[in-house]
Amino acid sequence: MATSLQTIPNLGPASEAAFAKAGITNAEQLRALGADEGYRRLLAAGTQPHFIGYYVLHMGLQGRPWNDCKGQEKKDLRARFDAIKAEFGGSKEKGRSDLEAALQFFGVLEKPKKA
């Protein structure tokens, strides 16, 4: 029987919904894929890259609290995150693709509102 993604520490309803859009619907699938491939699939499904989300996923799959990531481990994960993000190309401005950045430049897309 498949278990909810929310059984993985640090993952809640928003994470579960994002993973569902990426075709990952249960904890067993995510564990089998691992953090890097799971995160790649999130990005491929349109999730904007965010380092904290990436390392939270790593910590959760290890059964660790999200804020347990420190020092060299965090630096190493940052390098891996940057490499994964680079696989998706784009302008890197807030995770936008080159096409999105160009459409925004020409006024076809609105600039994102600041929080």
Side-chain angles (χ1 to χ4, degrees):
M1 182 170 182
T3 12
S4 167
L5 286 164
Q6 292 184 56
T7 62
I8 296 172
N10 311 323
L11 300 185
S15 297
E16 190 165 52
F19 278 111
K21 288 180 185 176
I24 302 168
T25 58
N26 61 64
E28 291 78 14
Q29 285 177 302
L30 184 55
R31 286 189 178 101
L33 289 169
D36 288 354
E37 183 58 27
Y39 198 77
R40 279 185 187 92
R41 292 190 185 192
L42 281 178
L43 296 182
T47 297
Q48 296 299 311
H50 197 283
F51 178 55
I52 294 171
Y54 174 73
Y55 77 70
V56 161
L57 175 58
H58 269 275
M59 297 297 102
L61 287 173
Q62 294 174 25
R64 296 165 59 192
W66 69 269
N67 58 354
D68 197 32
C69 188
K70 296 180 174 100
Q72 189 61 47
E73 180 181 29
K74 193 170 190 176
K75 288 177 187 176
D76 293 344
L77 286 175
R78 181 64 199 215
R80 287 169 62 182
F81 168 79
D82 288 342
I84 291 169
K85 191 169 90 166
E87 291 173 21
F88 287 84
S91 66
K92 308 298 184 274
E93 177 195 341
K94 299 286 185 190
R96 290 184 188 82
S97 70
D98 288 335
L99 175 61
E100 289 171 314
L103 290 172
Q104 181 182 320
F105 176 80
F106 288 109
V108 177
L109 293 178
E110 291 184 28
K111 288 187 178 187
K113 301 197 188 303
K114 295 190 182 199

